[in-house]
Amino acid sequence: MSEDVFFKQLLDRTKQVFKITDVYKKQQGLKQNWNYSVCGTPIQKNKGILLGINWGADDNHEPQSDMPEGKDILEYRFINRSKKYLENYLKLDFNSINFNYTNLCFFRTKAEKDLSDDDYKSSLPLFKSFVEFINPPWIFSLGTGNYYRLQQFGELKNIKEFPDSENKFKGVTATLWGHKFYAVPHPNAHVKGASRDEIWKLIGKNIR
């Protein structure tokens, strides 16, 4: 199956699942339309997956309809803040877009707290299909929220935690459905620069 065909199929599945979620009912009650998205870059087989937790939204957000080019990826502030680390440790190229970007939960909200546990459970099979189709060499989460969610659902194996020297924040390595999984503190988290550097260095050694 081509990437374009897979994208359309996954988008259609997401639309169907979305209509039976808690978050859909919530926005209906608020008379708003937050909708959903599948990816923020072109889907590319055998390329790594950069992972956020869920898509943001305004009051009336159109559902995704076309495969994005991904050229605007650095407009996401939390990705822009991590640019030097991502280029250094993961060898990401923001000109050629040599990676995939998506979120653990495909459903858009104004804030992550708008999602229920069941919303994540509903999206998880969609995300798993995304991962299985791509067959990535790694999945890298910007934020440990994804780590805690996936751990909560019993999906991670071979978990190792790497705390900073002050034992306040940590990075994580694990395997997810047979793929290497990494997580670092969210770029917007109040982490000292030295601690962030330390955690990225610890995780970076494991990537290499």
Side-chain angles (χ1 to χ4, degrees):
M1 189 189 305
S2 72
E3 285 88 343
D4 286 332
V5 170
F6 173 75
F7 170 76
K8 292 296 185 184
Q9 288 190 3
L10 185 58
L11 198 63
D12 187 58
R13 280 181 57 200
T14 301
K15 178 181 179 180
Q16 294 174 38
V17 172
F18 174 65
K19 292 295 179 67
I20 57 172
T21 59
D22 291 342
V23 71
Y24 176 73
K25 295 172 187 171
K26 177 178 285 190
Q27 60 193 275
Q28 289 292 100
L30 295 170
K31 299 188 185 313
Q32 296 181 4
N33 294 289
W34 300 336
N35 282 303
Y36 52 85
S37 286
V38 164
C39 56
T41 55
I43 293 175
Q44 303 172 78
K45 290 182 180 179
N46 305 312
K47 299 288 187 183
I49 296 174
L50 188 62
L51 189 64
I53 197 155
N54 89 297
W55 308 95
D58 48 31
D59 289 354
N60 288 285
H61 206 109
E62 291 295 319
Q64 189 170 35
S65 57
D66 299 309
M67 183 101 79
E69 293 183 356
K71 298 298 184 181
D72 61 346
I73 196 71
L74 286 175
E75 292 179 15
Y76 294 103
R77 289 185 183 178
F78 75 104
I79 292 179
N80 203 333
R81 284 183 174 182
S82 305
K83 183 174 182 282
K84 66 176 183 179
Y85 297 114
L86 295 168
E87 290 175 331
N88 183 26
Y89 292 109
L90 291 170
K91 308 304 178 188
L92 298 197
D93 185 332
F94 291 96
N95 292 313
S96 67
I97 314 295
N98 61 343
F99 60 95
N100 297 276
Y101 176 76
T102 191
N103 285 286
L104 181 64
C105 186
F106 288 178
F107 314 133
R108 289 185 174 275
T109 58
K110 288 191 169 182
E112 191 272 337
K113 65 183 180 181
D114 292 315
L115 295 167
S116 68
D117 285 351
D118 283 344
D119 290 326
Y120 279 100
K121 288 177 184 175
S122 295
S123 185
L124 193 60
L126 302 169
F127 173 65
K128 188 173 184 179
S129 293
F130 183 89
V131 171
E132 289 176 342
F133 178 80
I134 289 170
N135 188 30
W138 48 260
I139 301 165
F140 196 98
S141 174
L142 289 173
T144 50
N146 288 320
Y147 162 58
Y148 292 118
R149 282 289 177 183
L150 290 165
Q151 188 181 38
Q152 173 188 350
F153 298 143
E155 301 293 343
L156 294 174
K157 300 184 184 304
N158 306 312
I159 297 170
K160 293 181 181 179
E161 297 184 345
F162 296 84
D164 64 7
S165 54
E166 295 183 3
N167 206 31
K168 289 184 177 180
F169 299 94
K170 62 189 174 189
V172 177
T173 67
T175 54
L176 176 62
W177 308 317
H179 303 278
K180 293 177 182 177
F181 176 87
Y182 308 95
V184 294
H186 196 281
N188 295 339
H190 297 295
V191 182
K192 292 179 181 177
S195 291
R196 197 179 293 280
D197 288 344
E198 181 184 2
I199 290 169
W200 272 91
K201 189 173 182 179
L202 289 168
I203 299 303
K205 288 179 180 178
N206 284 273
I207 294 171
R208 288 193 292 271

mmCIF file with all atom_site columns, all heavy atoms in Angstrom, residues 101-122:
data_model
loop_
_atom_site.group_PDB
_atom_site.id
_atom_site.type_symbol
_atom_site.label_atom_id
_atom_site.label_alt_id
_atom_site.label_comp_id
_atom_site.label_asym_id
_atom_site.label_entity_id
_atom_site.label_seq_id
_atom_site.pdbx_PDB_ins_code
_atom_site.Cartn_x
_atom_site.Cartn_y
_atom_site.Cartn_z
_atom_site.occupancy
_atom_site.B_iso_or_equiv
_atom_site.pdbx_formal_charge
_atom_site.auth_seq_id
_atom_site.auth_comp_id
_atom_site.auth_asym_id
_atom_site.auth_atom_id
_atom_site.pdbx_PDB_model_num
ATOM 1   N N   . TYR A 1 101 ? 5.975   13.113 11.821 1.00 0.00 ? 101 TYR A N   1
ATOM 2   C CA  . TYR A 1 101 ? 5.486   13.731 13.054 1.00 0.00 ? 101 TYR A CA  1
ATOM 3   C C   . TYR A 1 101 ? 4.001   13.431 13.225 1.00 0.00 ? 101 TYR A C   1
ATOM 4   O O   . TYR A 1 101 ? 3.200   13.595 12.297 1.00 0.00 ? 101 TYR A O   1
ATOM 5   C CB  . TYR A 1 101 ? 5.666   15.252 13.075 1.00 0.00 ? 101 TYR A CB  1
ATOM 6   C CG  . TYR A 1 101 ? 5.061   15.846 14.336 1.00 0.00 ? 101 TYR A CG  1
ATOM 7   C CD1 . TYR A 1 101 ? 5.720   15.718 15.547 1.00 0.00 ? 101 TYR A CD1 1
ATOM 8   C CD2 . TYR A 1 101 ? 3.801   16.436 14.326 1.00 0.00 ? 101 TYR A CD2 1
ATOM 9   C CE1 . TYR A 1 101 ? 5.148   16.187 16.724 1.00 0.00 ? 101 TYR A CE1 1
ATOM 10  C CE2 . TYR A 1 101 ? 3.228   16.913 15.491 1.00 0.00 ? 101 TYR A CE2 1
ATOM 11  C CZ  . TYR A 1 101 ? 3.904   16.781 16.689 1.00 0.00 ? 101 TYR A CZ  1
ATOM 12  O OH  . TYR A 1 101 ? 3.333   17.226 17.841 1.00 0.00 ? 101 TYR A OH  1
ATOM 13  N N   . THR A 1 102 ? 3.661   12.979 14.440 1.00 0.00 ? 102 THR A N   1
ATOM 14  C CA  . THR A 1 102 ? 2.256   12.778 14.790 1.00 0.00 ? 102 THR A CA  1
ATOM 15  C C   . THR A 1 102 ? 2.106   12.921 16.299 1.00 0.00 ? 102 THR A C   1
ATOM 16  O O   . THR A 1 102 ? 3.047   13.284 17.005 1.00 0.00 ? 102 THR A O   1
ATOM 17  C CB  . THR A 1 102 ? 1.744   11.402 14.315 1.00 0.00 ? 102 THR A CB  1
ATOM 18  O OG1 . THR A 1 102 ? 0.312   11.370 14.447 1.00 0.00 ? 102 THR A OG1 1
ATOM 19  C CG2 . THR A 1 102 ? 2.335   10.255 15.140 1.00 0.00 ? 102 THR A CG2 1
ATOM 20  N N   . ASN A 1 103 ? 0.892   12.650 16.788 1.00 0.00 ? 103 ASN A N   1
ATOM 21  C CA  . ASN A 1 103 ? 0.611   12.676 18.227 1.00 0.00 ? 103 ASN A CA  1
ATOM 22  C C   . ASN A 1 103 ? 0.033   11.341 18.661 1.00 0.00 ? 103 ASN A C   1
ATOM 23  O O   . ASN A 1 103 ? -0.582  10.626 17.855 1.00 0.00 ? 103 ASN A O   1
ATOM 24  C CB  . ASN A 1 103 ? -0.396  13.778 18.541 1.00 0.00 ? 103 ASN A CB  1
ATOM 25  C CG  . ASN A 1 103 ? 0.231   15.159 18.482 1.00 0.00 ? 103 ASN A CG  1
ATOM 26  O OD1 . ASN A 1 103 ? 0.979   15.556 19.363 1.00 0.00 ? 103 ASN A OD1 1
ATOM 27  N ND2 . ASN A 1 103 ? -0.064  15.894 17.426 1.00 0.00 ? 103 ASN A ND2 1
ATOM 28  N N   . LEU A 1 104 ? 0.217   11.022 19.935 1.00 0.00 ? 104 LEU A N   1
ATOM 29  C CA  . LEU A 1 104 ? -0.335  9.778  20.472 1.00 0.00 ? 104 LEU A CA  1
ATOM 30  C C   . LEU A 1 104 ? -1.849  9.751  20.315 1.00 0.00 ? 104 LEU A C   1
ATOM 31  O O   . LEU A 1 104 ? -2.435  8.732  19.965 1.00 0.00 ? 104 LEU A O   1
ATOM 32  C CB  . LEU A 1 104 ? 0.044   9.624  21.944 1.00 0.00 ? 104 LEU A CB  1
ATOM 33  C CG  . LEU A 1 104 ? -0.447  8.354  22.636 1.00 0.00 ? 104 LEU A CG  1
ATOM 34  C CD1 . LEU A 1 104 ? 0.188   7.116  22.005 1.00 0.00 ? 104 LEU A CD1 1
ATOM 35  C CD2 . LEU A 1 104 ? -0.140  8.405  24.133 1.00 0.00 ? 104 LEU A CD2 1
ATOM 36  N N   . CYS A 1 105 ? -2.499  10.890 20.565 1.00 0.00 ? 105 CYS A N   1
ATOM 37  C CA  . CYS A 1 105 ? -3.948  10.996 20.390 1.00 0.00 ? 105 CYS A CA  1
ATOM 38  C C   . CYS A 1 105 ? -4.240  11.856 19.169 1.00 0.00 ? 105 CYS A C   1
ATOM 39  O O   . CYS A 1 105 ? -3.745  12.973 19.052 1.00 0.00 ? 105 CYS A O   1
ATOM 40  C CB  . CYS A 1 105 ? -4.596  11.608 21.630 1.00 0.00 ? 105 CYS A CB  1
ATOM 41  S SG  . CYS A 1 105 ? -6.402  11.610 21.543 1.00 0.00 ? 105 CYS A SG  1
ATOM 42  N N   . PHE A 1 106 ? -5.024  11.324 18.257 1.00 0.00 ? 106 PHE A N   1
ATOM 43  C CA  . PHE A 1 106 ? -5.320  12.011 16.996 1.00 0.00 ? 106 PHE A CA  1
ATOM 44  C C   . PHE A 1 106 ? -6.415  13.071 17.132 1.00 0.00 ? 106 PHE A C   1
ATOM 45  O O   . PHE A 1 106 ? -6.663  13.824 16.195 1.00 0.00 ? 106 PHE A O   1
ATOM 46  C CB  . PHE A 1 106 ? -5.760  10.999 15.934 1.00 0.00 ? 106 PHE A CB  1
ATOM 47  C CG  . PHE A 1 106 ? -4.652  10.121 15.406 1.00 0.00 ? 106 PHE A CG  1
ATOM 48  C CD1 . PHE A 1 106 ? -4.943  9.139  14.469 1.00 0.00 ? 106 PHE A CD1 1
ATOM 49  C CD2 . PHE A 1 106 ? -3.345  10.264 15.825 1.00 0.00 ? 106 PHE A CD2 1
ATOM 50  C CE1 . PHE A 1 106 ? -3.934  8.328  13.951 1.00 0.00 ? 106 PHE A CE1 1
ATOM 51  C CE2 . PHE A 1 106 ? -2.331  9.461  15.326 1.00 0.00 ? 106 PHE A CE2 1
ATOM 52  C CZ  . PHE A 1 106 ? -2.630  8.489  14.380 1.00 0.00 ? 106 PHE A CZ  1
ATOM 53  N N   . PHE A 1 107 ? -7.088  13.121 18.274 1.00 0.00 ? 107 PHE A N   1
ATOM 54  C CA  . PHE A 1 107 ? -8.232  14.018 18.435 1.00 0.00 ? 107 PHE A CA  1
ATOM 55  C C   . PHE A 1 107 ? -7.783  15.386 18.945 1.00 0.00 ? 107 PHE A C   1
ATOM 56  O O   . PHE A 1 107 ? -7.038  15.491 19.911 1.00 0.00 ? 107 PHE A O   1
ATOM 57  C CB  . PHE A 1 107 ? -9.257  13.406 19.390 1.00 0.00 ? 107 PHE A CB  1
ATOM 58  C CG  . PHE A 1 107 ? -9.547  11.962 19.089 1.00 0.00 ? 107 PHE A CG  1
ATOM 59  C CD1 . PHE A 1 107 ? -9.559  11.019 20.107 1.00 0.00 ? 107 PHE A CD1 1
ATOM 60  C CD2 . PHE A 1 107 ? -9.776  11.533 17.783 1.00 0.00 ? 107 PHE A CD2 1
ATOM 61  C CE1 . PHE A 1 107 ? -9.805  9.687  19.821 1.00 0.00 ? 107 PHE A CE1 1
ATOM 62  C CE2 . PHE A 1 107 ? -10.021 10.203 17.492 1.00 0.00 ? 107 PHE A CE2 1
ATOM 63  C CZ  . PHE A 1 107 ? -10.032 9.269  18.523 1.00 0.00 ? 107 PHE A CZ  1
ATOM 64  N N   . ARG A 1 108 ? -8.273  16.435 18.297 1.00 0.00 ? 108 ARG A N   1
ATOM 65  C CA  . ARG A 1 108 ? -7.895  17.804 18.654 1.00 0.00 ? 108 ARG A CA  1
ATOM 66  C C   . ARG A 1 108 ? -8.664  18.300 19.884 1.00 0.00 ? 108 ARG A C   1
ATOM 67  O O   . ARG A 1 108 ? -9.839  17.972 20.045 1.00 0.00 ? 108 ARG A O   1
ATOM 68  C CB  . ARG A 1 108 ? -8.159  18.751 17.483 1.00 0.00 ? 108 ARG A CB  1
ATOM 69  C CG  . ARG A 1 108 ? -7.207  18.570 16.308 1.00 0.00 ? 108 ARG A CG  1
ATOM 70  C CD  . ARG A 1 108 ? -7.451  19.621 15.247 1.00 0.00 ? 108 ARG A CD  1
ATOM 71  N NE  . ARG A 1 108 ? -6.450  19.546 14.188 1.00 0.00 ? 108 ARG A NE  1
ATOM 72  C CZ  . ARG A 1 108 ? -5.258  20.128 14.215 1.00 0.00 ? 108 ARG A CZ  1
ATOM 73  N NH1 . ARG A 1 108 ? -4.924  20.853 15.269 1.00 0.00 ? 108 ARG A NH1 1
ATOM 74  N NH2 . ARG A 1 108 ? -4.414  19.988 13.212 1.00 0.00 ? 108 ARG A NH2 1
ATOM 75  N N   . THR A 1 109 ? -8.009  19.103 20.695 1.00 0.00 ? 109 THR A N   1
ATOM 76  C CA  . THR A 1 109 ? -8.669  19.743 21.831 1.00 0.00 ? 109 THR A CA  1
ATOM 77  C C   . THR A 1 109 ? -8.007  21.095 22.098 1.00 0.00 ? 109 THR A C   1
ATOM 78  O O   . THR A 1 109 ? -6.904  21.359 21.622 1.00 0.00 ? 109 THR A O   1
ATOM 79  C CB  . THR A 1 109 ? -8.549  18.899 23.124 1.00 0.00 ? 109 THR A CB  1
ATOM 80  O OG1 . THR A 1 109 ? -7.154  18.695 23.421 1.00 0.00 ? 109 THR A OG1 1
ATOM 81  C CG2 . THR A 1 109 ? -9.249  17.566 22.983 1.00 0.00 ? 109 THR A CG2 1
ATOM 82  N N   . LYS A 1 110 ? -8.680  21.898 22.886 1.00 0.00 ? 110 LYS A N   1
ATOM 83  C CA  . LYS A 1 110 ? -8.078  23.168 23.290 1.00 0.00 ? 110 LYS A CA  1
ATOM 84  C C   . LYS A 1 110 ? -6.971  22.940 24.311 1.00 0.00 ? 110 LYS A C   1
ATOM 85  O O   . LYS A 1 110 ? -6.014  23.700 24.385 1.00 0.00 ? 110 LYS A O   1
ATOM 86  C CB  . LYS A 1 110 ? -9.146  24.099 23.855 1.00 0.00 ? 110 LYS A CB  1
ATOM 87  C CG  . LYS A 1 110 ? -10.071 24.644 22.783 1.00 0.00 ? 110 LYS A CG  1
ATOM 88  C CD  . LYS A 1 110 ? -10.928 25.764 23.332 1.00 0.00 ? 110 LYS A CD  1
ATOM 89  C CE  . LYS A 1 110 ? -11.650 26.474 22.196 1.00 0.00 ? 110 LYS A CE  1
ATOM 90  N NZ  . LYS A 1 110 ? -12.453 27.606 22.688 1.00 0.00 ? 110 LYS A NZ  1
ATOM 91  N N   . ALA A 1 111 ? -7.118  21.894 25.118 1.00 0.00 ? 111 ALA A N   1
ATOM 92  C CA  . ALA A 1 111 ? -6.103  21.545 26.110 1.00 0.00 ? 111 ALA A CA  1
ATOM 93  C C   . ALA A 1 111 ? -6.089  20.036 26.291 1.00 0.00 ? 111 ALA A C   1
ATOM 94  O O   . ALA A 1 111 ? -7.111  19.367 26.077 1.00 0.00 ? 111 ALA A O   1
ATOM 95  C CB  . ALA A 1 111 ? -6.402  22.231 27.444 1.00 0.00 ? 111 ALA A CB  1
ATOM 96  N N   . GLU A 1 112 ? -4.948  19.518 26.682 1.00 0.00 ? 112 GLU A N   1
ATOM 97  C CA  . GLU A 1 112 ? -4.819  18.065 26.851 1.00 0.00 ? 112 GLU A CA  1
ATOM 98  C C   . GLU A 1 112 ? -5.805  17.537 27.893 1.00 0.00 ? 112 GLU A C   1
ATOM 99  O O   . GLU A 1 112 ? -6.299  16.413 27.786 1.00 0.00 ? 112 GLU A O   1
ATOM 100 C CB  . GLU A 1 112 ? -3.369  17.716 27.233 1.00 0.00 ? 112 GLU A CB  1
ATOM 101 C CG  . GLU A 1 112 ? -3.043  16.240 27.187 1.00 0.00 ? 112 GLU A CG  1
ATOM 102 C CD  . GLU A 1 112 ? -3.338  15.514 28.492 1.00 0.00 ? 112 GLU A CD  1
ATOM 103 O OE1 . GLU A 1 112 ? -3.367  16.187 29.535 1.00 0.00 ? 112 GLU A OE1 1
ATOM 104 O OE2 . GLU A 1 112 ? -3.532  14.284 28.462 1.00 0.00 ? 112 GLU A OE2 1
ATOM 105 N N   . LYS A 1 113 ? -6.124  18.356 28.889 1.00 0.00 ? 113 LYS A N   1
ATOM 106 C CA  . LYS A 1 113 ? -7.027  17.925 29.953 1.00 0.00 ? 113 LYS A CA  1
ATOM 107 C C   . LYS A 1 113 ? -8.447  17.659 29.446 1.00 0.00 ? 113 LYS A C   1
ATOM 108 O O   . LYS A 1 113 ? -9.263  17.057 30.150 1.00 0.00 ? 113 LYS A O   1
ATOM 109 C CB  . LYS A 1 113 ? -7.065  18.966 31.074 1.00 0.00 ? 113 LYS A CB  1
ATOM 110 C CG  . LYS A 1 113 ? -7.656  20.304 30.657 1.00 0.00 ? 113 LYS A CG  1
ATOM 111 C CD  . LYS A 1 113 ? -7.596  21.324 31.787 1.00 0.00 ? 113 LYS A CD  1
ATOM 112 C CE  . LYS A 1 113 ? -8.187  22.660 31.352 1.00 0.00 ? 113 LYS A CE  1
ATOM 113 N NZ  . LYS A 1 113 ? -8.105  23.671 32.438 1.00 0.00 ? 113 LYS A NZ  1
ATOM 114 N N   . ASP A 1 114 ? -8.759  18.099 28.226 1.00 0.00 ? 114 ASP A N   1
ATOM 115 C CA  . ASP A 1 114 ? -10.080 17.843 27.645 1.00 0.00 ? 114 ASP A CA  1
ATOM 116 C C   . ASP A 1 114 ? -10.249 16.386 27.215 1.00 0.00 ? 114 ASP A C   1
ATOM 117 O O   . ASP A 1 114 ? -11.353 15.967 26.871 1.00 0.00 ? 114 ASP A O   1
ATOM 118 C CB  . ASP A 1 114 ? -10.319 18.750 26.426 1.00 0.00 ? 114 ASP A CB  1
ATOM 119 C CG  . ASP A 1 114 ? -10.455 20.213 26.811 1.00 0.00 ? 114 ASP A CG  1
ATOM 120 O OD1 . ASP A 1 114 ? -11.174 20.494 27.785 1.00 0.00 ? 114 ASP A OD1 1
ATOM 121 O OD2 . ASP A 1 114 ? -9.851  21.065 26.146 1.00 0.00 ? 114 ASP A OD2 1
ATOM 122 N N   . LEU A 1 115 ? -9.164  15.623 27.206 1.00 0.00 ? 115 LEU A N   1
ATOM 123 C CA  . LEU A 1 115 ? -9.218  14.220 26.787 1.00 0.00 ? 115 LEU A CA  1
ATOM 124 C C   . LEU A 1 115 ? -9.425  13.307 27.987 1.00 0.00 ? 115 LEU A C   1
ATOM 125 O O   . LEU A 1 115 ? -8.815  13.496 29.043 1.00 0.00 ? 115 LEU A O   1
ATOM 126 C CB  . LEU A 1 115 ? -7.913  13.827 26.087 1.00 0.00 ? 115 LEU A CB  1
ATOM 127 C CG  . LEU A 1 115 ? -7.623  14.533 24.759 1.00 0.00 ? 115 LEU A CG  1
ATOM 128 C CD1 . LEU A 1 115 ? -6.173  14.298 24.355 1.00 0.00 ? 115 LEU A CD1 1
ATOM 129 C CD2 . LEU A 1 115 ? -8.568  14.036 23.669 1.00 0.00 ? 115 LEU A CD2 1
ATOM 130 N N   . SER A 1 116 ? -10.246 12.285 27.816 1.00 0.00 ? 116 SER A N   1
ATOM 131 C CA  . SER A 1 116 ? -10.459 11.276 28.853 1.00 0.00 ? 116 SER A CA  1
ATOM 132 C C   . SER A 1 116 ? -9.541  10.078 28.591 1.00 0.00 ? 116 SER A C   1
ATOM 133 O O   . SER A 1 116 ? -8.954  9.944  27.510 1.00 0.00 ? 116 SER A O   1
ATOM 134 C CB  . SER A 1 116 ? -11.913 10.803 28.838 1.00 0.00 ? 116 SER A CB  1
ATOM 135 O OG  . SER A 1 116 ? -12.189 10.061 27.650 1.00 0.00 ? 116 SER A OG  1
ATOM 136 N N   . ASP A 1 117 ? -9.441  9.193  29.565 1.00 0.00 ? 117 ASP A N   1
ATOM 137 C CA  . ASP A 1 117 ? -8.690  7.954  29.366 1.00 0.00 ? 117 ASP A CA  1
ATOM 138 C C   . ASP A 1 117 ? -9.250  7.182  28.177 1.00 0.00 ? 117 ASP A C   1
ATOM 139 O O   . ASP A 1 117 ? -8.496  6.610  27.383 1.00 0.00 ? 117 ASP A O   1
ATOM 140 C CB  . ASP A 1 117 ? -8.760  7.071  30.618 1.00 0.00 ? 117 ASP A CB  1
ATOM 141 C CG  . ASP A 1 117 ? -7.869  7.582  31.744 1.00 0.00 ? 117 ASP A CG  1
ATOM 142 O OD1 . ASP A 1 117 ? -7.070  8.514  31.509 1.00 0.00 ? 117 ASP A OD1 1
ATOM 143 O OD2 . ASP A 1 117 ? -7.969  7.033  32.856 1.00 0.00 ? 117 ASP A OD2 1
ATOM 144 N N   . ASP A 1 118 ? -10.565 7.168  28.048 1.00 0.00 ? 118 ASP A N   1
ATOM 145 C CA  . ASP A 1 118 ? -11.192 6.440  26.940 1.00 0.00 ? 118 ASP A CA  1
ATOM 146 C C   . ASP A 1 118 ? -10.872 7.071  25.586 1.00 0.00 ? 118 ASP A C   1
ATOM 147 O O   . ASP A 1 118 ? -10.807 6.363  24.578 1.00 0.00 ? 118 ASP A O   1
ATOM 148 C CB  . ASP A 1 118 ? -12.712 6.362  27.138 1.00 0.00 ? 118 ASP A CB  1
ATOM 149 C CG  . ASP A 1 118 ? -13.107 5.322  28.178 1.00 0.00 ? 118 ASP A CG  1
ATOM 150 O OD1 . ASP A 1 118 ? -12.264 4.463  28.510 1.00 0.00 ? 118 ASP A OD1 1
ATOM 151 O OD2 . ASP A 1 118 ? -14.254 5.368  28.654 1.00 0.00 ? 118 ASP A OD2 1
ATOM 152 N N   . ASP A 1 119 ? -10.658 8.385  25.547 1.00 0.00 ? 119 ASP A N   1
ATOM 153 C CA  . ASP A 1 119 ? -10.251 9.031  24.299 1.00 0.00 ? 119 ASP A CA  1
ATOM 154 C C   . ASP A 1 119 ? -8.893  8.499  23.853 1.00 0.00 ? 119 ASP A C   1
ATOM 155 O O   . ASP A 1 119 ? -8.677  8.198  22.678 1.00 0.00 ? 119 ASP A O   1
ATOM 156 C CB  . ASP A 1 119 ? -10.193 10.550 24.460 1.00 0.00 ? 119 ASP A CB  1
ATOM 157 C CG  . ASP A 1 119 ? -11.566 11.186 24.616 1.00 0.00 ? 119 ASP A CG  1
ATOM 158 O OD1 . ASP A 1 119 ? -12.525 10.682 24.009 1.00 0.00 ? 119 ASP A OD1 1
ATOM 159 O OD2 . ASP A 1 119 ? -11.673 12.191 25.347 1.00 0.00 ? 119 ASP A OD2 1
ATOM 160 N N   . TYR A 1 120 ? -7.979  8.380  24.810 1.00 0.00 ? 120 TYR A N   1
ATOM 161 C CA  . TYR A 1 120 ? -6.657  7.824  24.477 1.00 0.00 ? 120 TYR A CA  1
ATOM 162 C C   . TYR A 1 120 ? -6.770  6.367  24.036 1.00 0.00 ? 120 TYR A C   1
ATOM 163 O O   . TYR A 1 120 ? -6.108  5.943  23.092 1.00 0.00 ? 120 TYR A O   1
ATOM 164 C CB  . TYR A 1 120 ? -5.718  7.938  25.676 1.00 0.00 ? 120 TYR A CB  1
ATOM 165 C CG  . TYR A 1 120 ? -5.107  9.305  25.832 1.00 0.00 ? 120 TYR A CG  1
ATOM 166 C CD1 . TYR A 1 120 ? -5.616  10.214 26.756 1.00 0.00 ? 120 TYR A CD1 1
ATOM 167 C CD2 . TYR A 1 120 ? -4.022  9.700  25.051 1.00 0.00 ? 120 TYR A CD2 1
ATOM 168 C CE1 . TYR A 1 120 ? -5.058  11.478 26.898 1.00 0.00 ? 120 TYR A CE1 1
ATOM 169 C CE2 . TYR A 1 120 ? -3.457  10.954 25.187 1.00 0.00 ? 120 TYR A CE2 1
ATOM 170 C CZ  . TYR A 1 120 ? -3.983  11.836 26.106 1.00 0.00 ? 120 TYR A CZ  1
ATOM 171 O OH  . TYR A 1 120 ? -3.435  13.092 26.246 1.00 0.00 ? 120 TYR A OH  1
ATOM 172 N N   . LYS A 1 121 ? -7.609  5.613  24.734 1.00 0.00 ? 121 LYS A N   1
ATOM 173 C CA  . LYS A 1 121 ? -7.798  4.208  24.364 1.00 0.00 ? 121 LYS A CA  1
ATOM 174 C C   . LYS A 1 121 ? -8.392  4.085  22.960 1.00 0.00 ? 121 LYS A C   1
ATOM 175 O O   . LYS A 1 121 ? -8.041  3.171  22.207 1.00 0.00 ? 121 LYS A O   1
ATOM 176 C CB  . LYS A 1 121 ? -8.715  3.518  25.382 1.00 0.00 ? 121 LYS A CB  1
ATOM 177 C CG  . LYS A 1 121 ? -8.072  3.285  26.741 1.00 0.00 ? 121 LYS A CG  1
ATOM 178 C CD  . LYS A 1 121 ? -9.063  2.678  27.716 1.00 0.00 ? 121 LYS A CD  1
ATOM 179 C CE  . LYS A 1 121 ? -8.459  2.519  29.102 1.00 0.00 ? 121 LYS A CE  1
ATOM 180 N NZ  . LYS A 1 121 ? -9.461  2.025  30.089 1.00 0.00 ? 121 LYS A NZ  1
ATOM 181 N N   . SER A 1 122 ? -9.281  5.000  22.610 1.00 0.00 ? 122 SER A N   1
ATOM 182 C CA  . SER A 1 122 ? -9.894  4.977  21.282 1.00 0.00 ? 122 SER A CA  1
ATOM 183 C C   . SER A 1 122 ? -8.882  5.293  20.189 1.00 0.00 ? 122 SER A C   1
ATOM 184 O O   . SER A 1 122 ? -8.941  4.739  19.088 1.00 0.00 ? 122 SER A O   1
ATOM 185 C CB  . SER A 1 122 ? -11.054 5.979  21.216 1.00 0.00 ? 122 SER A CB  1
ATOM 186 O OG  . SER A 1 122 ? -12.099 5.616  22.087 1.00 0.00 ? 122 SER A OG  1
#
